[in-house]
Amino acid sequence: MKKLLTILSILISCAVNAQIITGGVIDVEKQPIPAVTVSIKGKKTQASTDQDGKFSINSEGQNTVLVFSGINIQTKSVEVGDKREITVVLVKRETILDEVQIVGYGTSTQRLNIGSVTKIKAEDIERQLVSNPLAALQGRVPGLDISATSGVPGSSFKVQLRGQNTINTSRGSVPPMDNPLYIIDGVPFAAQNNNVNQFASLASPGVGDTFNNAYGGLSPFNSINPADIESIEILRDADATAIYGSRGGNGVILITTKKGKQGKTELAVNGNVGVSVIGHTLPMMNTKQFLEMRNEAYVNDGLVPSEIASSSSYAPDLLIFDSNRDVNWTDEFFGSASYNSTFNIGLKGGAQYTQFRFGGNYNKSSFSLPGGFYDQKTGLSLGIHHDTNNKKISFDFSGTYNNGKNNSSSGTNLLLTSNLQPNYPVPFDDDGNLVWYYKGVSLNGGTVPSNPYAYLMQKYEMNSDALNANLLISYRPLKGLSVKTSLGISSFLTDEYKGVPKKSLTPQYNYSANANFGNSSATSWIIEPQATYNREFQKLEIESLIGGTLQASNNSSQSVYASGYISDELIRSISGAPNKNASDNFNEYRYSALFSRLKMNFDRRYLFSANFRRDGSSRFGSGRQFGNFGSVGFGWLFNEEKFIKESLSFLSYGKLRTSYGITGSDGIGDYNYLSRWEPSYFNYGGTLGFSPLNHANDEFGWASTKKLELGVELGFLDDRFLLSVAWYRNRTGNQLVNYTLPISTGFSKVVQNWGAKVENKGSEAVLQASISKTPTFSWSSSFNISLPKNQLISFPGLEESAYSTMYTIGRSLSSLYLYKYAGVDKETGIFTFYKEDGTVTSTPKSAQSGQFNDMYYVGKTDPEFFGGLSNTFSFRSIRLDIFMDFKKQIGKNYLGQVYYFYPGERANMPVELLNRWQKEGDQAAFQKYSTLATSKAGRANQVFAKSDAVYGDASYLRLRNVTISYEIPANYIKRIGLKHLNTFVNAQNLFTITNYKGNNPETQSFYGVPPLSSFNFGIQMKF
């Protein structure tokens, strides 16, 4: 009985002391925080909050202290006392690991994401003062290689994400450049980053060797206002891209525009003005040096300069032009400063159920050339979010519209004006009119006179209208279930004009004016219904997604060439021309898909993801229109393991991740499985004829890319230092190519699958550091580097194919097979080159019949590595941002373009070519001058331009961006109704450290406009 009373006493005591404590956990904005660990201090008892932030835990007595901890919150201890229910407010820990990332059809965080994703935020974009958002990504994203094609305003950018996957099977053509899939607010945009112009201009000079700018043109991304962008996410590996199926083979870039936020209405006004100048250019010969070159060339050729126009040694620059005149034509045409101005306005705000943002923008950039050329855009943006009262239904609308105007010259020879003789006569008379002759001879010394300033009159104009809009309708019928439909449209319209007025042509031959008129339309609509379901089972969180895609794209273009205008006043009228020739083009593309995803998170440390997509494309024949793609990924947050916490206390974050999957491509153009015909340019008996366009083949199917990635992410000292390292390997097979056919078939090529396999592999690393953070001073830094490697790992039948001298197994697709330069022969003064057997000659044998003969492998143009380094310093109200990018690469130097001409001819040359052979025994860098293409030196010129001498180190380290800003203290600006006032100065492309031989290692175009150095002043205001 006594024992029984003792037991009862103990039980009663326990019942009195034990209690169940319930409550909720919220943040400072009163939003519930799920997955918070709730523990009793000094005990092993634990619980966790659910999706609504609720918890329940058994205490073991009075004076209980609860400890609240989590991976993205600041730990907090709370004395409960005799309370049975409590509400705890926790402060979220500020770390980029828990910032929201936009991923395919959803969101995630760096901490919980298995995929390889980089986020560029609005503040990173806004500090760079660029008009094209692609420029804001240069050097900031691992694996993403971006370079400008020109410094002409509105010009395009070359973009590749983790290398080239597709082989080029058309010898002599411009190699294809695989681009990522671009999506703006859920709507695909600018397929393959294709240029939007049809006609040549200063930004698009052509594909020849003269300008070395085969990818040049006007960029579709110039129609996007960077100030409207909230974030840009770059998706690389299979886990991140397989949800996009065949469209994600080359990676994905997601652009999200700014939206409204709940709160007081806020007006933001930003503006900046600036000046830009062309940076380093190679000095050209002055008149004395040029005339010395010309005279010496005639002596070498055994010719005597003549004043007779019909003579083979006609030399007006030596005998007629003023030898005392000396003009630097590079400075004359490109030495002036250009000006730019940008203004943005944004109005945002909203209440509990409706938020909005409205934006407007204006940007104008002039050219460094005379002629009043400019690139201008004006745009509007709108973002609206609305919830019903019960928040079960929501509507999200985002839309942007931009009108662009590019006004320049269609006379691409303007880019060659640095070649003008320094004693070239004055091109104007006393009244400012163009002249064509000097002392009775043509200015250019040719049969048909020309005047370089006439090119300024040959106008090129493009007007563009870009619209991108998306409506997302969401319905949440049950807890954790969301059903939504995304409706999007993208439209890009262009109207082009290219005119050659009569006044820009020599009057002697009574030429008539001519013009080109063009327009194009690229319209795409997309519908994507989706359903997501989130469920939590104690420590297991599950997120599932299922959806579909219907997309249609229509592309059309028309072009009219009009000639015979009797007056320049009529040149902008098609009907005013007596002669007209028209052409048009239309393509229609249909795409559909089903997709799904399953993500699991167990105990906030073990992660799993699986994606599946089935695509259908109108680009394939019957039976081959559908393809399956998918991925699996695993992640382990090992820093959450107890043994790691106890043994590596300095490690605040650690994750291992891996993914494998298959993406693909249908990027081969439309209708190639059909036999097509096109109108002939010739009539027969008054009837228009037709000719076959392509060989039909309905047997080709999807290309595929298999992606494998391993990654480790580490955080140290409460995530002040974050390191991410990844290794990847992408293998693309079943290549879709234009296979070359013998001419006897009647066709030059046919589309088919090819068994060649291309591998892109490499390593990437990102280090982010918060080095110092005090109330008055902070210093943060970020460094990234990519080390890619591209190689062809298989090509069945390569040795017997037409491509045996284009590719080699184990080498890059960008491999260079060139003559190997051996120097200048001391006896003859002629360039020499190594033969196959190691001896030297001035007439090496080219590759033919499957043999390389005297052509050598000399390297590749893929970068060895590239990356960027940014530093941000803040002291009180002053902020300094410095960003540098770098690249290790081989590129084409200036010699590849100047030797398109012949040193010794009438074209001026860089001063460096003065180091030439003059007499027997000379050891010189360049061969002797010659005026004749048929001389030994002239023929050696042609070989030299195809040798490794015209390639060299094009590596660089560039100070890309520097911004100094000062925020005016609030107590000074409140009086005038301002909430925020910030002033800044900004400089772009301040200097470049390089050994490159040429004007700029990024564009590698000697006869082109390099990226400009710009200096800006701006102001940012908020009301």
Side-chain angles (χ1 to χ4, degrees):
M1 186 67 178
K2 193 172 184 179
K3 289 183 178 181
L4 180 59
L5 290 174
T6 301
I7 294 173
L8 287 174
S9 175
I10 294 173
L11 291 174
I12 293 171
S13 176
C14 290
V16 171
N17 292 326
Q19 59 183 4
I20 297 177
I21 302 173
T22 61
V25 178
I26 58 176
D27 60 21
V28 292
E29 297 178 350
K30 299 182 179 180
Q31 297 298 313
I33 306 178
V36 174
T37 300
V38 184
S39 61
I40 298 176
K41 190 174 182 179
K43 305 292 183 181
K44 295 183 178 180
T45 307
Q46 285 187 347
S48 62
T49 59
D50 60 19
Q51 288 294 114
D52 296 321
K54 303 296 184 182
F55 71 92
S56 175
I57 189 170
N58 292 320
S59 74
E60 299 180 5
Q62 297 179 348
N63 301 320
T64 299
V65 177
L66 296 183
V67 179
F68 297 84
S69 61
I71 60 175
N72 62 343
I73 61 171
Q74 295 181 12
T75 301
K76 185 175 184 179
S77 298
V78 177
E79 293 184 6
V80 178
D82 57 357
K83 297 177 183 177
R84 297 290 190 274
E85 183 175 353
I86 61 173
T87 298
V88 180
V89 180
L90 298 181
V91 178
K92 290 186 177 181
R93 187 168 55 187
E94 294 182 2
T95 171
I96 60 174
L97 295 176
D98 301 301
E99 291 180 351
V100 174
Q101 289 182 337
I102 307 297
V103 296
Y105 305 102
T107 61
S108 185
T109 64
Q110 181 179 340
R111 188 186 302 275
L112 299 178
N113 192 14
I114 297 173
S116 179
V117 178
T118 296
K119 177 179 181 177
I120 303 298
K121 296 181 287 188
E123 61 185 65
D124 300 318
I125 299 170
E126 292 169 354
R127 286 199 293 267
Q128 298 184 69
L129 301 185
V130 294
S131 60
N132 190 316
L134 294 179
L137 302 179
Q138 284 187 278
R140 295 181 180 270
V141 180
L144 185 63
D145 185 13
I146 297 180
S147 57
T149 61
S150 172
V152 172
S155 296
S156 57
F157 287 78
K158 295 184 290 186
V159 181
Q160 282 206 313
L161 185 56
R162 289 186 170 177
Q164 176 70 18
N165 296 319
T166 307
I167 62 174
N168 177 30
T169 54
S170 298
R171 183 184 294 273
S173 67
V174 179
M177 180 162 283
D178 294 329
N179 269 257
L181 168 67
Y182 302 94
I183 296 178
I184 302 177
D185 289 337
V187 183
F189 178 80
Q192 281 296 301
N193 189 25
N194 289 327
N195 296 328
V196 295
N197 59 292
Q198 297 183 63
F199 306 144
S201 70
L202 298 180
S204 181
V207 299
D209 293 332
T210 309
F211 301 103
N212 194 35
N213 189 10
Y215 300 99
L218 294 178
S219 171
F221 286 91
N222 205 48
S223 67
I224 300 173
N225 178 28
D228 287 335
I229 296 175
E230 181 66 31
S231 69
I232 302 178
E233 270 84 3
I234 297 86
L235 284 56
R236 291 180 289 268
D237 72 329
D239 181 75
T241 62
I243 193 69
Y244 291 103
S246 62
R247 300 182 297 171
N250 304 318
V252 182
I253 295 180
L254 304 177
I255 299 176
T256 305
T257 59
K258 292 178 178 178
K259 308 295 189 297
K261 295 181 180 179
Q262 184 176 342
K264 293 182 179 180
T265 301
E266 179 182 271
L267 175 64
V269 180
N270 306 325
N272 62 269
V273 293
V275 59
S276 299
V277 295
I278 288 180
H280 168 75
T281 58
L282 287 181
M284 304 296 286
M285 294 181 183
N286 59 30
T287 298
K288 179 182 178 181
Q289 295 165 335
F290 172 75
L291 296 181
E292 180 184 341
M293 175 186 73
R294 291 281 285 145
N295 279 309
E296 190 175 310
Y298 279 113
V299 171
N300 292 337
D301 293 334
L303 299 173
V304 177
S306 171
E307 295 184 9
I308 302 174
S310 59
S311 171
S312 60
S313 59
Y314 179 50
D317 50 342
L318 286 175
L319 304 176
I320 301 175
F321 293 172
D322 184 359
S323 60
N324 293 316
R325 178 173 166 79
D326 194 347
V327 179
N328 184 325
W329 291 105
T330 302
D331 286 347
E332 190 77 12
F333 279 91
F334 298 98
S336 300
S338 61
Y339 301 92
N340 59 82
S341 57
T342 302
F343 300 96
N344 289 286
I345 184 171
L347 183 68
K348 67 178 181 179
Q352 180 180 0
Y353 298 108
T354 303
Q355 299 91 46
F356 70 92
R357 181 188 182 274
F358 171 79
N361 67 276
Y362 171 82
N363 174 271
K364 185 174 182 179
S365 300
S366 66
F367 287 36
S368 57
L369 284 156
F373 303 139
Y374 64 88
D375 182 81
Q376 175 182 295
K377 64 181 177 183
T378 308
L380 299 171
S381 63
L382 178 64
I384 298 176
H385 172 82
H386 176 73
D387 285 313
T388 57
N389 289 344
N390 59 8
K391 293 198 173 184
K392 285 187 174 293
I393 301 177
S394 64
F395 301 87
D396 289 274
F397 173 81
S398 62
T400 60
Y401 166 78
N402 276 278
N403 171 261
K405 295 181 179 180
N406 187 274
N407 173 9
S408 70
S409 171
S410 63
T412 57
N413 282 345
L414 265 176
L415 299 172
L416 298 175
T417 49
S418 59
N419 270 3
L420 290 174
Q421 304 97 324
N423 64 333
Y424 191 91
V426 179
F428 304 101
D429 61 20
D430 293 339
D431 297 325
N433 300 311
L434 296 183
V435 297
W436 304 93
Y437 294 91
Y438 175 79
K439 294 184 178 182
V441 303
S442 63
L443 292 187
N444 63 328
T447 304
V448 180
S450 67
N451 186 311
Y453 282 85
Y455 300 126
L456 299 173
M457 300 178 180
Q458 298 174 3
K459 301 294 185 182
Y460 171 84
E461 295 177 6
M462 171 183 278
N463 291 315
S464 63
D465 292 282
L467 172 69
N468 202 85
N470 176 263
L471 175 64
L472 181 66
I473 305 172
S474 303
Y475 174 52
R476 291 171 286 275
L478 301 171
K479 180 180 177 181
L481 175 63
S482 176
V483 180
K484 53 189 174 183
T485 297
S486 175
L487 310 169
I489 185 170
S490 176
S491 174
F492 203 107
L493 309 177
T494 67
D495 189 3
E496 280 183 279
Y497 165 79
K498 171 186 173 183
V500 182
K502 190 172 183 177
K503 64 183 178 182
S504 71
L505 303 170
T506 176
Q508 178 184 358
Y509 295 94
N510 196 29
Y511 289 117
S512 61
N514 64 82
N516 290 79
F517 303 85
N519 61 72
S520 66
S521 171
T523 304
S524 175
W525 59 259
I526 186 169
I527 301 174
E528 294 190 304
Q530 307 159 46
T532 59
Y533 182 66
N534 300 326
R535 185 70 185 273
E536 183 177 341
F537 301 92
Q538 295 183 349
K539 293 185 178 182
L540 177 64
E541 298 176 25
I542 296 178
E543 176 188 319
S544 58
L545 165 72
I546 187 169
T549 299
L550 292 174
Q551 181 183 346
S553 300
N554 296 324
N555 294 277
S556 63
S557 63
Q558 295 82 37
S559 176
V560 177
Y561 172 70
S563 61
Y565 290 100
I566 61 174
S567 170
D568 287 347
E569 300 298 321
L570 300 172
I571 195 172
R572 290 181 179 270
S573 169
I574 297 177
S575 60
N579 307 312
K580 294 176 279 290
N581 189 3
S583 63
D584 61 358
N585 182 62
F586 176 80
N587 289 295
E588 187 176 33
Y589 172 58
R590 295 290 183 266
Y591 171 86
S592 62
L594 295 173
F595 57 86
S596 63
R597 176 171 59 213
L598 175 64
K599 296 175 70 174
M600 292 191 291
N601 175 351
F602 181 75
D603 202 21
R604 308 284 287 184
R605 67 184 74 179
Y606 307 112
L607 311 174
F608 170 78
S609 176
N611 297 279
F612 173 77
R613 189 174 184 110
R614 179 170 174 80
D615 284 350
S617 172
S618 62
R619 289 175 174 159
F620 302 115
S622 178
R624 297 180 179 270
Q625 293 177 322
F626 295 93
N628 298 323
F629 308 94
S631 70
V632 293
F634 302 91
W636 176 33
L637 289 165
F638 59 85
N639 65 294
E640 294 299 314
E641 301 292 347
K642 184 177 180 181
F643 69 92
I644 295 292
K645 290 182 178 180
E646 292 176 350
S647 59
L648 302 174
S649 58
F650 60 88
L651 187 70
S652 54
Y653 168 65
K655 181 172 71 175
L656 294 175
R657 58 179 178 84
T658 183
S659 66
Y660 176 80
I662 300 176
T663 58
S665 173
D666 65 349
I668 197 60
D670 300 307
Y671 313 126
N672 283 299
Y673 65 93
L674 298 173
S675 179
R676 294 179 292 159
W677 296 70
E678 63 180 348
S680 170
Y681 287 104
F682 306 99
N683 291 339
Y684 180 77
T687 303
L688 182 66
F690 287 82
S691 59
L693 180 61
N694 70 291
H695 192 292
N697 177 19
D698 61 0
E699 295 297 317
F700 62 83
W702 302 85
S704 64
T705 299
K706 298 178 180 179
K707 298 184 176 184
L708 172 65
E709 175 152 344
L710 303 172
V712 59
E713 299 173 10
L714 303 173
F716 305 94
L717 305 178
D718 289 330
D719 300 337
R720 286 181 56 194
F721 297 88
L722 294 171
L723 174 66
S724 175
V725 179
W727 174 88
Y728 66 90
R729 188 193 69 195
N730 300 340
R731 289 182 171 178
T732 301
N734 207 35
Q735 297 264 343
L736 283 166
V737 300
N738 284 296
Y739 186 77
T740 301
L741 294 175
I743 195 65
S744 59
T745 63
F747 299 92
S748 61
K749 58 189 177 182
V750 63
V751 174
Q752 67 177 53
N753 289 111
W754 195 258
K757 188 174 291 185
V758 177
E759 179 182 82
N760 284 286
K761 66 179 180 180
S763 300
E764 298 164 355
V766 179
L767 176 62
Q768 297 166 287
S770 177
I771 300 172
S772 176
K773 191 172 185 180
T774 69
T776 58
F777 176 77
S778 67
W779 174 18
S780 61
S781 182
S782 178
F783 172 80
N784 76 86
I785 187 170
S786 302
L787 297 94
K789 182 179 180 181
N790 173 278
Q791 63 177 339
L792 180 68
I793 59 175
S794 69
F795 195 131
L798 175 61
E799 294 78 7
E800 295 79 29
S801 75
Y803 313 112
S804 57
T805 54
M806 287 179 65
Y807 298 112
T808 302
I809 303 298
R811 288 180 179 161
S812 168
L813 298 184
S814 71
S815 294
L816 298 170
Y817 296 96
L818 303 166
Y819 300 112
K820 194 171 183 180
Y821 179 55
V824 177
D825 189 306
K826 294 181 180 180
E827 306 298 321
T828 64
I830 304 298
F831 286 137
T832 60
F833 310 89
Y834 288 105
K835 296 177 65 176
E836 185 180 12
D837 59 8
T839 59
V840 298
T841 179
S842 293
T843 56
K845 188 177 182 181
S846 64
Q848 53 188 290
S849 302
Q851 300 297 318
F852 283 103
N853 297 322
D854 295 336
M855 303 195 83
Y856 287 75
Y857 169 75
V858 298
K860 57 186 176 67
T861 57
D862 296 333
E864 294 289 337
F865 59 82
F866 59 91
L869 171 65
S870 66
N871 282 280
T872 299
F873 305 90
S874 295
F875 178 71
R876 299 187 187 276
S877 298
I878 301 174
R879 174 169 173 154
L880 171 63
D881 293 283
I882 302 174
F883 176 69
M884 308 179 76
D885 66 326
F886 57 86
K887 186 183 291 187
K888 171 69 174 177
Q889 63 180 354
I890 291 174
K892 204 168 193 178
N893 58 40
Y894 76 100
L895 297 173
Q897 292 174 261
V898 300
Y899 271 93
Y900 177 83
F901 304 92
Y902 295 90
E905 283 189 317
R906 295 176 190 149
N908 197 11
M909 291 286 148
V911 171
E912 296 230 355
L913 268 69
L914 290 172
N915 185 9
R916 79 288 187 188
W917 184 94
Q918 293 180 280
K919 63 183 185 301
E920 187 174 331
D922 279 355
Q923 185 171 347
F926 302 104
Q927 70 173 7
K928 63 183 180 180
Y929 299 140
S930 175
T931 65
L932 301 175
T934 55
S935 67
K936 288 185 178 180
R939 289 193 293 269
N941 272 354
Q942 301 170 35
V943 179
F944 183 81
K946 298 178 181 178
S947 75
D948 63 342
V950 303
Y951 283 84
D953 185 10
S955 308
Y956 63 86
L957 171 66
R958 172 168 294 163
L959 183 56
R960 179 78 63 176
N961 182 78
V962 176
T963 302
I964 302 175
S965 60
Y966 176 68
E967 185 170 348
I968 310 297
N971 57 321
Y972 290 110
I973 61 176
K974 283 183 179 179
R975 305 170 189 174
I976 56 175
L978 285 175
K979 292 171 54 180
H980 170 84
L981 177 60
N982 186 66
T983 61
F984 62 87
V985 291
N986 170 273
Q988 302 272 347
N989 300 323
L990 269 181
F991 65 81
T992 302
I993 300 174
T994 181
N995 291 322
Y996 176 68
K997 294 180 179 180
N999 290 342
N1000 190 278
E1002 182 178 349
T1003 54
Q1004 299 173 21
S1005 177
F1006 183 70
Y1007 299 121
V1009 180
L1012 305 180
S1013 298
S1014 60
F1015 306 87
N1016 302 272
F1017 169 78
I1019 188 169
Q1020 300 170 331
M1021 299 180 290
K1022 291 181 181 180
F1023 299 86

